Amino acid sequence: MADDTREEQENLYGSALYWQKELDNASNYERDWRERGNIIIDRYRDERGGYTIGGALSRKFNILWSNTETLKAALFARMAKPDVRRRFPDPNPVGREVAILLERALQYELDTNRADIPIMAAMEDYLLPGRGVIWVVYEPVLIKEKIDVRIEAEDKTTIVQETEEIERLGDQRCRFEYVHWEDYRESPCRRSEDATWRARRHLLTRDELIGRGFRDAEDIPLNWMPESSEYNENELYNRAEVWEIWDKVQRRRLYVATGHKTVLAEDDDPYNLEGFYPCPTPLIAVRTTDTSIPIPEYTLYQDQAEELDRLTTRITFLIEGLKRRGVYDAAIPELAHLANASDNEFVPSENFSNLAQKGGLAGAFQTEPIGEISSVVQGLYQQRQAVLQIIYEVTGISDILRGSTKASETATAQQLKAQYGSMRLRRRQDDIQHYIRDLFRIKAELIAENYEPEFLQRMTNMEVTEEMLEIMREDKLRSYIIDVQTDSTVFENEEEEKRNRIQFADTLGAYLIKAVEVTQASPDLTPLAFEIVKFVAGAWKIGRNFEDTIEQTEMAIMQQLEASRQQPQISPEQQM
């Protein structure tokens, strides 16, 4: 009886009904966050609706848009470049060739597929609703060809020629694909790293369902439709909601359609990745350790942003009332033309003596006092500036990052402000850089294990040997030898970069002069001198660019020393 129950549970686990319930649970788990995310995006887009104050349309100070655009540039200024090197600097020519090959392949894919576009889209999701997701997709391109086949007849006297259609591998592609924040689900857990499954949604037409070879493609309901009423009435815009689910427990991928009873397709561990998932842990803006649900950053200063809107609305209404208005004596009609008089224009008066008797212009009309309103407006401006400063302190966007400085500030003061303001941003910059590095590592793993040698040779202009293939194809061997990193995703300070390079050149140059003198006097100290060169160069980030050159120079000099030792020594008598 227990065996039957277990078998029934296993069958249920693999069914479409089970996974649809899992997806529903995940959607309900994050429902509040998704509703909040849509509200924040409407706020970013400044879609006001009919919100009014006192019967008049409210005015907004879109600090969310301003902060988001500032953070976009500060966190992701440019696309990182892959930097593939040997994990350890031991002499290993094959490992060096594999590293160069993978770096060229990654750079080729980077240039041809514009990887920065999906990353910028994920960055926007990261800064607004709070979660950014990118999928690494591997696509082998199959080409159908017709070939002529010669078949020998049964009597072995005649040969029949027939045409046969075959499929061959035409191309191999690996790209980054942006996943919208509402098209992503994962199993409810405390940390995203602990998710037992991850899924993404595809909206497919009937032809696309058939083209992918799904089971029952003709019967899958097209139950998704656009929200706009312009398209709802036309069934041509309907789509099937298909979920691509990666189950880490059983290491398999399966496809399930909303409202359909059977699994459309499934395959066991299609990519054979070390971490299984074709995507790194999602970018999360604000996280806690008790739930994997993100917290949008805007919610941390939402109250202050709403106060900015209220202050801006009041300032607008009060400024609207700051007009020069008053009353005048109707017995002196010339005063009605005085308000429209231009500069240096004098309005004639038929009864000037009467105007003079009433005390002149001061006695003929009176203006509405606006001094109190003006002081209130000035106070509102000061209050709004104070609220803005609170928001910048909450978000960590310093004055120097916004380009706002005072003339009285010294260069040292501005540098301290920049360092203080970038403390939290630097951690977030590191998170972005590590996320892109993980994307490159997944892509490098897919290229190393799946790309055929002829495609790699075309992409990199390098010959692929059997030894190189052995390293690339074996997971453990590749991870022991090769390490994939990236350069920075933020703009470097040009002046600081110049100072670092000059300091590096001066330090290394001064040491090399002394090292040459010492090794000429005592060749046995050559290995120690090269170890010190590596140690000194490793202190600078730019020193990594010289690692290969230093190793090649060391190998060449050590070979020369070894050859000189093996030559027979000639005595002075023999020299004479």
Side-chain angles (χ1 to χ4, degrees):
M1 187 68 179
D3 294 339
D4 295 339
T5 304
R6 182 177 180 181
E7 183 178 356
E8 183 179 350
Q9 291 177 349
E10 290 179 352
N11 293 334
L12 177 63
Y13 179 80
S15 67
L17 178 62
Y18 170 84
W19 286 109
Q20 287 177 1
K21 287 184 177 180
E22 283 285 296
L23 292 168
D24 290 341
N25 290 336
S27 298
N28 294 331
Y29 184 65
E30 298 179 341
R31 177 179 298 165
D32 294 340
W33 167 71
R34 296 184 191 283
E35 293 176 355
R36 182 188 294 182
N38 283 313
I39 293 173
I40 292 173
I41 289 177
D42 289 342
R43 180 71 179 87
Y44 174 79
R45 293 166 57 91
D46 199 14
E47 296 184 359
R48 311 184 184 204
Y51 179 62
T52 61
I53 294 180
L57 185 65
S58 66
R59 301 296 186 268
K60 291 186 180 293
F61 192 109
N62 201 340
I63 189 65
L64 174 61
W65 182 88
S66 175
N67 286 350
T68 302
E69 295 305 304
T70 300
L71 289 171
K72 280 182 183 179
L75 298 178
F76 183 71
R78 63 183 178 87
M79 184 61 197
K81 295 182 179 179
D83 188 357
V84 186
R85 294 178 179 269
R86 289 170 296 161
R87 189 173 295 276
F88 305 107
D90 302 329
N92 188 347
V94 179
R96 182 188 296 113
E97 292 296 315
V98 172
I100 295 173
L101 179 78
L102 288 178
E103 182 172 321
R104 288 188 181 183
L106 289 173
Q107 188 62 48
Y108 172 82
E109 294 285 349
L110 188 67
D111 295 338
T112 55
N113 292 322
R114 284 296 306 272
D116 58 322
I117 294 178
I119 290 177
M120 286 189 291
M123 279 290 302
E124 187 168 305
D125 290 350
Y126 164 73
L127 293 172
L128 292 175
R131 177 193 281 161
V133 180
I134 295 178
W135 221 262
V136 184
V137 179
Y138 166 68
E139 287 183 340
V141 180
L142 300 177
I143 299 177
K144 293 183 179 181
E145 286 186 346
K146 293 182 179 181
I147 61 173
D148 294 332
V149 181
R150 302 183 67 185
I151 301 176
E152 188 175 358
E154 294 181 358
D155 55 4
K156 298 183 180 181
T157 58
T158 60
I159 296 177
V160 181
Q161 186 167 342
E162 295 183 356
T163 301
E164 185 177 302
E165 187 176 71
I166 63 170
E167 284 187 346
R168 68 174 181 87
L169 189 63
D171 197 3
Q172 292 177 291
R173 300 170 185 170
C174 190
R175 69 178 189 276
F176 298 153
E177 194 169 286
Y178 162 69
V179 179
H180 191 267
W181 63 280
E182 288 198 285
D183 293 338
Y184 174 80
R185 300 287 188 276
E186 64 182 22
S187 62
C189 53
R190 289 187 173 180
R191 303 187 314 153
S192 289
E193 293 85 349
D194 302 330
T196 57
W197 60 265
R198 293 176 182 168
R200 59 175 298 192
R201 178 173 60 176
H202 302 274
L203 300 176
L204 304 178
T205 63
R206 181 72 64 194
D207 292 339
E208 289 173 333
L209 294 171
I210 297 173
R212 288 176 176 242
F214 289 146
R215 302 188 190 104
D216 307 325
E218 296 287 352
D219 300 328
I220 299 173
L222 304 181
N223 49 16
W224 181 91
M225 60 185 65
E227 295 181 359
S228 175
S229 59
E230 299 178 3
Y231 303 102
N232 285 346
E233 298 177 357
N234 194 336
E235 295 183 357
L236 291 175
Y237 298 99
N238 291 6
R239 299 288 187 270
E241 195 176 30
V242 178
W243 289 92
E244 176 186 347
I245 304 171
W246 289 69
D247 177 16
K248 191 174 183 179
V249 176
Q250 294 192 355
R251 296 188 72 88
R252 61 174 181 168
R253 175 181 63 178
L254 60 154
Y255 293 86
V256 174
T258 302
H260 193 62
K261 297 181 179 180
T262 60
V263 175
L264 307 182
E266 57 183 313
D267 46 0
D268 294 331
D269 202 355
Y271 288 174
N272 195 26
L273 296 172
E274 185 176 356
F276 178 69
Y277 293 123
C279 61
T281 300
L283 280 171
I284 298 177
V286 182
R287 67 165 73 193
T288 57
T289 57
D290 59 340
T291 178
S292 61
I293 300 176
I295 301 174
E297 183 178 348
Y298 176 69
T299 60
L300 304 181
Y301 62 92
Q302 183 176 358
D303 293 340
Q304 288 74 26
E306 291 176 354
E307 185 177 355
L308 273 182
D309 291 343
R310 291 193 295 270
L311 290 170
T312 302
T313 301
R314 291 174 182 172
I315 290 173
T316 302
F317 290 163
L318 288 175
I319 289 178
E320 201 58 36
L322 285 175
K323 299 177 180 179
R324 187 169 178 266
R325 295 172 296 188
V327 295
Y328 67 91
D329 190 352
I332 307 175
E334 292 84 2
L335 294 176
H337 304 287
L338 186 61
N340 298 324
S342 59
D343 192 21
N344 289 327
E345 180 181 353
F346 295 88
V347 178
S349 176
E350 296 180 357
N351 196 358
F352 185 77
S353 60
N354 186 22
L355 176 63
Q357 291 177 359
K358 293 184 177 182
L361 292 176
F365 72 90
Q366 292 183 353
T367 59
E368 179 186 6
I370 60 175
E372 294 183 359
I373 299 177
S374 178
S375 62
V376 171
V377 170
Q378 187 176 3
L380 288 174
Y381 273 121
Q382 294 175 354
Q383 178 64 18
R384 189 170 71 172
Q385 194 62 32
V387 174
L388 278 172
Q389 191 59 40
I390 293 174
I391 291 176
Y392 293 141
E393 290 177 2
V394 170
T395 58
I397 303 177
S398 66
D399 289 343
I400 200 72
L401 287 175
R402 294 182 292 108
S404 174
T405 59
K406 296 180 180 178
S408 59
E409 291 180 343
T410 63
T412 304
Q414 292 185 2
Q415 185 177 2
L416 289 174
K417 283 174 63 177
Q419 292 176 353
Y420 176 77
S422 62
M423 286 173 60
R424 284 183 286 176
L425 285 176
R426 185 165 298 175
R427 180 188 62 80
R428 300 177 70 177
Q429 289 170 349
D430 291 341
D431 290 342
I432 303 298
Q433 186 171 340
H434 292 159
Y435 185 78
I436 297 176
R437 178 203 63 188
D438 294 341
L439 286 171
F440 276 124
R441 285 180 172 176
I442 294 175
K443 180 180 280 192
E445 189 174 354
L446 288 171
I447 290 174
E449 292 191 357
N450 295 282
Y451 275 42
E452 296 297 327
E454 57 267 23
F455 293 110
L456 287 173
Q457 290 177 3
R458 274 187 274 169
M459 291 168 58
T460 62
N461 196 27
M462 292 179 61
E463 183 180 358
V464 182
T465 64
E466 291 295 331
E467 292 178 313
M468 295 169 65
L469 276 178
E470 182 182 358
I471 293 176
M472 288 191 295
R473 297 295 196 240
E474 188 173 343
D475 289 350
K476 296 299 181 184
L477 186 61
R478 184 180 62 250
S479 61
Y480 288 154
I481 297 176
I482 304 300
D483 183 30
V484 179
Q485 295 289 339
T486 62
D487 66 351
S488 178
T489 58
V490 297
F491 288 129
E492 301 288 347
N493 186 296
E494 292 185 3
E495 294 300 324
E496 184 178 357
E497 183 71 13
K498 289 178 183 178
R499 288 195 299 269
N500 288 338
R501 294 192 179 198
I502 293 172
Q503 185 181 8
F504 173 76
D506 291 344
T507 304
L508 194 61
Y511 171 75
L512 288 176
I513 293 174
K514 296 180 181 179
V516 169
E517 297 175 355
V518 171
T519 54
Q520 285 180 345
S522 179
D524 292 338
L525 295 177
T526 301
L528 177 61
F530 272 103
E531 289 300 320
I532 296 176
V533 169
K534 296 176 186 177
F535 178 77
V536 172
W540 279 268
K541 181 180 178 181
I542 57 176
R544 295 187 63 187
N545 300 330
F546 300 91
E547 288 180 357
D548 292 341
T549 303
I550 293 173
E551 290 180 8
Q552 293 172 4
T553 305
E554 180 184 10
M555 292 176 60
I557 292 179
M558 294 305 297
Q559 288 175 358
Q560 292 177 3
L561 290 176
E562 187 65 24
S564 64
R565 290 194 186 99
Q566 293 178 358
Q567 291 180 355
Q569 299 294 327
I570 301 176
S571 64
E573 293 78 6
Q574 291 175 331
Q575 292 180 5
M576 292 296 295

